[in-house]
Amino acid sequence: MDDARKDPAGSAIAVLAPGLLAAKAEQPWLRMLLLAGFAGGFIAFGSVISMVAQSGGGGGAVQLLSGFAFSVGLIMVMVVGAELFTGNTMMVLPAATGALRPARMAGAWAVVWLGNLAGSLAVAALYAAAGGLDDSIGAAAREMVQEKLAKSALATFCSAILANMLVCLAVWMAMAAPRLPAKILAIVGPVMIFVAAGLEHSVANMSIIPLGWLAMPAEAVLWSEGARNLLWSSLGNLAGGALLALGLAQGHGALRQGSAAAAREARR
């Protein structure tokens, strides 16, 4: 029995993923930016509800609850078709097969990263202005940010690799799921793991860090540390997403098939 019969869903999405990801990268820039803004806002909502879950105190059960709550953000992104930088790191797959120009991939990454940042900041600012950071939620936000900014560059980078392997696994499985309940279930598990483990997700940090800062005195805000976190978490997320997408595609033989198809197309 061949691999496709043994694992039809896994093999099918591995074959389809390069085309789906290439199509996302070829969208008009303005549409991509707008959808990225919404994605950043949705993930910021996930950050907020995660902080609410943690505001009652720490512990393993609370961390799991926080991860479960945060998964709502990625569910909203996937269901409405918004553009998330961390998921779009898998665009290395169509670039590797020749279905997507590297320059277009890099441009899509830049546009979506900036759109995610704008949406994240907007929701964080509105939530703070609405009084959401009062009392225990503000304390949870401060604690989360202090823990993130205390990490070294290497720790942030390695943590971000693991985080985005899990996030991209959630996206990959959701693409393979035939119905909405199955998509939601596919997303929750990997996201709950990365949040509960305290791993670094660059787009989540785009809202978590500002929320923590908005709950602090102005003199306690360390702009350079926040920028350093976003740099290393973004690079680590790129590495993690690329590793997962290329590894799964290679494992299912789709990387070779895609490269051969691109070569045939080029000869026409």
Side-chain angles (χ1 to χ4, degrees):
M1 185 181 291
D2 60 22
D3 289 343
R5 289 184 178 179
K6 291 178 183 176
D7 185 13
S11 297
I13 198 59
V15 172
L16 293 172
L20 294 173
L21 291 163
K24 284 166 66 70
E26 296 291 352
Q27 295 180 91
W29 296 119
L30 184 58
R31 179 193 303 170
M32 194 183 298
L33 183 65
L34 181 61
L35 292 174
F38 278 110
F42 296 155
I43 294 298
F45 285 130
S47 298
V48 166
I49 196 63
S50 179
M51 289 175 182
V52 171
Q54 293 193 37
S55 64
V62 172
Q63 288 297 106
L64 286 174
L65 178 60
S66 177
F68 179 78
F70 182 86
S71 68
V72 175
L74 185 58
I75 290 168
M76 290 190 288
V77 169
M78 291 295 295
V79 170
V80 306
E83 294 295 329
L84 189 65
F85 167 75
T86 45
N88 286 3
T89 59
M90 292 194 291
M91 288 175 181
V92 295
L93 183 53
T97 65
L100 177 64
R101 292 176 293 112
R104 181 72 187 193
M105 175 185 70
W109 282 346
V111 168
V112 170
W113 193 95
L114 291 171
N116 289 167
L117 179 62
S120 299
L121 293 174
V123 170
L126 286 169
Y127 186 71
L133 294 174
D134 295 342
D135 302 325
S136 58
I137 298 175
R142 291 191 296 272
E143 183 178 350
M144 289 175 70
V145 171
Q146 287 163 354
E147 290 176 357
K148 287 181 175 297
L149 300 189
K151 294 180 181 178
S152 68
L154 179 61
T156 301
F157 179 75
C158 293
S159 178
I161 292 174
L162 296 173
N164 209 32
M165 289 181 69
L166 288 164
V167 170
C168 289
L169 180 60
V171 172
W172 189 280
M173 293 193 301
M175 288 193 293
R179 298 181 183 276
L180 183 58
K183 289 182 184 293
I184 292 172
L185 186 61
I187 290 168
V188 170
V191 172
M192 190 162 57
I193 293 171
F194 106 72
V195 175
L199 302 177
E200 298 295 322
H201 184 276
S202 57
V203 182
N205 290 356
M206 291 175 184
S207 54
I208 291 172
I209 293 173
L211 284 166
W213 282 348
L214 289 167
M216 295 179 183
E219 60 272 16
V221 173
L222 299 173
W223 297 98
S224 60
E225 292 300 308
R228 181 177 68 89
N229 176 279
L230 287 183
L231 170 64
W232 289 109
S233 61
S234 296
L235 292 174
N237 289 163
L238 277 173
L243 180 63
L244 184 95
L246 294 174
L248 287 177
Q250 179 66 24
H252 285 292
L255 198 58
R256 295 187 299 275
Q257 293 177 34
S259 297
R264 288 195 299 271
E265 187 67 25
R267 288 196 294 269
R268 289 181 181 178

